[in-house]
């Protein structure tokens, strides 16, 4: 649905976006994750047709954002980082205004009512935007992006400045939108992106550092994998049983839960699956497994590795 190819943007001699390519599809929420200044807003402004690229192309449903701007823009709803504010309009009036601006042909009353309901702003339809909380104003921002029911929704840091409750509500709304749209949503908050997105594109210094399914991203940079276990039984027997399993490289004892129950961290070679072997070895040793969880490198470790050039020198895993 969205195809970004070899995007470059220079502001004078600052190369904000160096060579970015990725795609986004209907039915997924794509998280655009990167520290401040990484080039997220620049990229999103180009995708939405607000800013021209130095080179490279963006197509929306096959329409080029420059050559077929009208058709392409019809298919995009955009909430910029700093949304234009129409402080003196009521919510309803503003959405009607956007409806006309976008020359939407869907049945007006029904369409706007549906959007307001989805965004949870139907109860404040007649309030003036100036008087709304930041959380409600952001929802109105998302609502205007949905006017005309575009297949692509682009949201630039929609949770910045919201309180924790509002953040949770906004995340739920974004996740819900991902069912029927291609949603591209930027953030510099790792936990947020991993909670909401199906896929994460990590951007660092104007370049893509990773593009992976969310559940895979923590593992990709790591050569060693980790299995976390809670096992009942004599520690020496447990460690020797696990150590003998094919693929295991290191076993460490963690916290003791009680006299007989203890946590263990087991490192093993990438691309092997030791779970069944561990199960059999411990069953044979008469040590019941009470808990088993696969854990790669933590998402935080991965993010630092990808976005901090010197992290590996400081002892991060490669
Ligand atoms: P992000 O949204 O990830 O924080 P931006 O896309 O806003 O990053 O900025 C990327 C880089 O481009 C930064 O170094 C920023 O200072 C620079 N930049 C952004 N907009 C402009 C501009 N209008 N003129 C000059 N430099 C800019
Ligand atoms: Mg930004």
């Amino acid at each position: 649905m969205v195809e970004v190819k070899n995007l470059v943007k220079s502001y004078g001699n600052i190369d904000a976006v160096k060579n970015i390519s990725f795609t986004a599809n209907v039915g997924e929420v794509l998280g655009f994750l990167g520290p401040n200044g990484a080039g997220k807003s620049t990229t999103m402004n180009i995708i939405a047709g607000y800013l021209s690229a130095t080179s490279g192309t963006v197509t929306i449903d096959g329409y080029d954002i420059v050559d077929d701007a009208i058709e392409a823009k019809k298919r995009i709803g955009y909430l910029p980082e700093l949304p234009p504010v129409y402080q003196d309009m009521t919510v309803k009036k503003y959405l009607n205004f956007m409806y006309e601006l976008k020359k939407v042909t869907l049945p007006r009353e029904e369409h706007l009512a549906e959007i307001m309901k989805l965004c949870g702003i139907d109860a404040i339809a007649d309030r003036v935007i100036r008087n709304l909380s930041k959380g409600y104003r952001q929802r109105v921002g998302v609502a205007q992006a949905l006017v005309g029911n575009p297949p692509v929704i682009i949201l630039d840091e929609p949770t910045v400045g919201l309180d924790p409750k509002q953040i949770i509500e906004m995340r739920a709304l974004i996740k819900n939108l991902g069912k029927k749209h291609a949603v591209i949503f930027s953030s510099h908050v790792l936990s947020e992106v991993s909670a909401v997105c199906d896929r994460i594109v990590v951007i660092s210094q104007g370049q893509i550092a990773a593009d992976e399914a969310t559940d895979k991203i923590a593992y990709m940079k790591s050569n060693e994998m980790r299995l976390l276990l809670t096992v009942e039984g004599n520690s020496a027997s447990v460690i020797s049983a696990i150590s003998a399993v094919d693929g295991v490289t290191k076993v460490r004892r963690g916290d003791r839960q009680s006299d007989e129950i203890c946590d263990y961290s087991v490192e093993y070679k990438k691309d092997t699956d030791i779970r069944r072997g561990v199960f059999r070895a411990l069953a044979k040793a008469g040590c019941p497994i009470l808990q088993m969880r696969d854990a790669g490198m933590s998402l935080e470790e991965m993010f630092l590795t990808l976005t901090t050039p010197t992290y590996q020198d400081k002892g991060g895993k490669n």
Side-chain angles (χ1 to χ4, degrees):
M1 180 52 72
V2 181
E3 226 182 318
V4 177
K5 265 195 203 149
N6 304 113
L7 214 59
V8 173
K9 177 69 184 181
S10 309
Y11 296 107
N13 54 8
I14 299 171
D15 296 328
V17 171
K18 285 168 191 161
N19 185 4
I20 283 186
S21 305
F22 66 89
T23 58
N25 302 306
V26 169
E28 78 175 347
V29 180
L30 187 146
F32 206 45
L33 174 70
N36 290 328
K40 302 183 295 295
S41 297
T42 300
T43 305
M44 293 180 126
N45 275 322
I46 295 171
I47 297 174
Y50 274 45
L51 187 70
S52 65
T54 303
S55 64
T57 56
V58 174
T59 57
I60 311 293
D61 202 11
Y63 294 100
D64 189 282
I65 194 68
V66 179
D67 299 337
D68 291 310
I70 293 178
E71 285 303 316
K73 283 188 187 177
K74 250 192 225 170
R75 291 163 171 78
I76 301 174
Y78 184 34
L79 175 64
E81 193 168 28
L82 301 169
V85 273
Y86 299 89
Q87 300 275 19
D88 296 324
M89 286 187 191
T90 63
V91 171
K92 203 167 181 182
K93 191 144 193 221
Y94 172 56
L95 294 179
N96 270 284
F97 168 75
M98 292 306 290
Y99 179 95
E100 279 160 28
L101 198 70
K102 293 188 183 184
K103 302 194 175 69
V104 178
T105 52
L106 296 164
R108 185 195 289 244
E109 285 295 318
E110 213 177 304
H111 178 52
L112 295 184
E114 193 187 1
I115 290 173
M116 288 194 281
K117 185 154 183 274
L118 184 67
C119 295
I121 52 172
D122 35 0
I124 54 148
D126 296 317
R127 300 258 310 265
V128 175
I129 293 175
R130 173 189 308 285
N131 301 330
L132 298 177
S133 69
K134 170 99 184 165
Y136 272 120
R137 246 178 283 156
Q138 280 299 75
R139 288 201 221 178
V140 173
V142 176
Q144 66 75 31
L146 291 172
V147 171
N149 198 20
V152 177
I153 303 292
I154 299 175
L155 308 170
D156 194 356
E157 306 231 20
T159 61
V160 164
L162 303 189
D163 68 35
K165 181 165 174 279
Q166 293 169 335
I167 288 176
I168 289 169
E169 289 165 355
M170 179 60 76
R171 287 180 188 171
L173 174 58
I174 293 169
K175 219 169 169 160
N176 199 9
L177 291 179
K179 291 179 195 157
K180 290 191 183 155
H181 302 264
V183 180
I184 303 177
F185 132 74
S186 75
S187 172
H188 61 277
V189 183
L190 177 65
S191 56
E192 164 162 294
V193 167
S194 62
V196 175
C197 302
D198 308 301
R199 230 176 86 215
I200 302 181
V201 171
V202 180
I203 174 172
S204 170
Q205 299 174 357
Q207 283 174 307
I208 289 184
D211 178 348
E212 286 285 339
T214 304
D215 54 353
K216 299 237 168 73
I217 204 151
Y219 299 115
M220 52 171 271
K221 273 269 167 179
S222 162
N223 290 319
E224 297 280 327
M225 308 286 284
R226 231 174 345 207
L227 198 65
L228 301 177
L229 291 163
T230 307
V231 185
E232 185 175 336
N234 175 278
S235 277
S237 317
V238 171
I239 290 172
S240 89
I242 298 174
S243 301
V245 174
D246 248 7
V248 171
T249 54
K250 196 189 272 178
V251 185
R252 264 182 301 197
R253 210 179 70 188
D255 293 340
R256 187 172 284 285
Q257 308 283 356
S258 74
D259 274 357
E260 282 291 294
I261 298 173
C262 200
D263 292 339
Y264 300 86
S265 157
V266 181
E267 288 179 26
Y268 62 98
K269 293 192 199 108
K270 198 173 180 170
D271 300 324
T272 58
D273 188 347
I274 60 164
R275 290 172 300 178
R276 289 164 192 83
V278 167
F279 167 77
R280 285 191 204 102
L282 289 172
K284 206 170 158 201
C287 304
I289 297 171
L290 304 180
Q291 195 165 279
M292 179 180 327
R293 186 165 68 84
D294 214 351
M297 188 188 270
S298 76
L299 218 48
E300 282 76 12
E301 285 176 279
M302 184 283 305
F303 187 55
L304 281 174
T305 311
L306 291 172
T307 58
T308 317
T310 55
Y311 178 70
Q312 284 167 27
D313 304 336
K314 289 177 185 161
K317 278 192 210 167
N318 188 6

